[in-house]
Amino acid sequence: MNTSSKKVALVLTAVLCAACGQDASQAPAQLAPSASAAAAQSPTPSPPAPDPASVGANELGQVPVLMYHRLTDQPTSVYDRTPAAFRAELERLAAEGYVPVTTTEYATGGIDIPAGKHPVVLTFDDGDPTQFALGPDGRPVPGTAVATLLDVAASNPGFRPVASFYVNAAPFGSPDGGGVLPWLRDHGFEIGNHTRTHTNLAGADDTGVQEAIALGQREIQRAVPDLVVTSLALPFGAAPANAALAARGAFDGASYDHACVLLVGSNPAPSPFAPDFNPLATPRIRSQDATGQEAEYGSTAWLDKLAATPTARYTSDGDPSRISHPAAAGPPADHHAARSHPY
């Protein structure tokens, strides 16, 4: 061994011996990784959103809020859909670039979807067992709306499996919701109020309105105690005489505060940034085939219209911090003016 090598060996031996003689609590801190190593470990930044004009962004456009009730092979009313028709509608939405968002995400402007995509809100009333049920394996029963939505989402990457369910007492055939509502909450679905007993709020006085809604919320929160209920679907689409009580009120120590109140309606909803957006009266479109009673107001007809006039529908710019829209569409509501990005 030459003199230089001997010196290196002696230094290494001294360092190792010194380290062995220390307690673990006295061990020197590890060196920070090099800048290049740190860069390699950090997540890749998201690419910048494209130019809004290149994707035809219009975040002041219309949003379809679709309304479902029961899935059955033998429909008996315009509110029923066959499982096959329901699946076909979801497949159509995915193929046409729609991405599901919840009612509250829509109503609060929390629409964070890729550039060029369109939001759609899937809403389910009454807590019917055909919408959702869990099998012995703890998974959604095949053929239910939730199972079908999950299946379609799995075969269409980017199609979010989210929806908003408006329930009464004993939802989905359960005695108290305890076996089903926590699952929905834990898997990203929204649980909304539909009053405890499907009360026609137009025929109730102020106290009765607040009682029906507050007891509906209490029923939900017994099953999911930490859940904050933020939206209401009006039974029969009937608003109370004092419309403000659909949004906020209290009864017997239970208070409620809704970001959105859903009607039955028959047309697309305005953008949450539009001047005419009213969160206390958000219209919905009944899911329906191209034929049948009042089919011209149903989902097939409206999706056809939106496909034929794509500039009328909400198209995301991919950047949730701004509101992009053609200059010809006019400005957003005044309180959104600072985020307006016309082109």
Side-chain angles (χ1 to χ4, degrees), residues 13-259:
T13 301
V15 169
L16 289 172
C17 290
C20 292
Q22 289 180 324
D23 293 334
S25 61
Q26 297 174 330
Q30 293 184 343
L31 292 176
S34 65
S36 59
Q41 294 172 4
S42 62
T44 303
S46 300
D51 176 65
S54 70
V55 295
N58 182 13
E59 295 179 325
L60 297 181
Q62 297 176 312
V63 179
V65 181
L66 304 185
M67 179 180 64
Y68 302 92
H69 286 77
R70 188 172 67 131
L71 302 185
T72 174
D73 289 322
Q74 300 295 328
T76 58
S77 82
V78 293
Y79 293 100
D80 294 340
R81 295 232 70 180
T82 66
F86 175 64
R87 178 181 287 271
E89 185 156 87
L90 294 183
E91 294 282 7
R92 174 183 182 171
L93 291 169
E96 294 184 3
Y98 286 94
V99 177
V101 299
T102 67
T103 299
T104 297
E105 287 173 337
Y106 154 74
T108 60
I111 301 175
D112 188 1
I113 60 177
K117 299 293 186 179
H118 322 291
V120 61
V121 186
L122 309 176
T123 69
F124 295 82
D125 287 7
D126 302 342
D128 191 87
T130 64
Q131 299 171 7
F132 177 55
L134 291 174
D137 59 356
R139 298 172 62 84
V141 172
T144 60
V146 170
T148 302
L149 176 56
L150 292 171
D151 189 39
V152 171
S155 59
N156 292 276
F159 190 75
R160 295 175 68 213
V162 299
S164 300
F165 290 87
Y166 293 91
V167 299
N168 310 118
F172 312 111
S174 69
D176 59 8
V180 285
L181 295 187
W183 191 98
L184 288 174
R185 186 275 312 275
D186 293 344
H187 288 80
F189 293 92
E190 180 175 3
I191 302 168
N193 199 337
H194 202 41
T195 76
R196 187 177 186 277
T197 58
H198 207 272
T199 302
N200 186 332
L201 299 177
D205 61 17
D206 286 0
T207 299
V209 168
Q210 294 175 88
E211 177 181 7
I213 297 172
L215 293 184
Q217 175 177 282
R218 181 174 288 169
E219 196 79 12
I220 294 169
Q221 291 177 330
R222 281 174 178 161
V224 194
D226 59 343
L227 181 69
V228 178
V229 180
T230 53
S231 59
L232 168 76
L234 296 169
F236 310 105
N242 184 351
L245 290 178
R248 294 171 190 84
F251 177 81
D252 190 28
S255 61
Y256 56 88
D257 188 351
H258 300 132

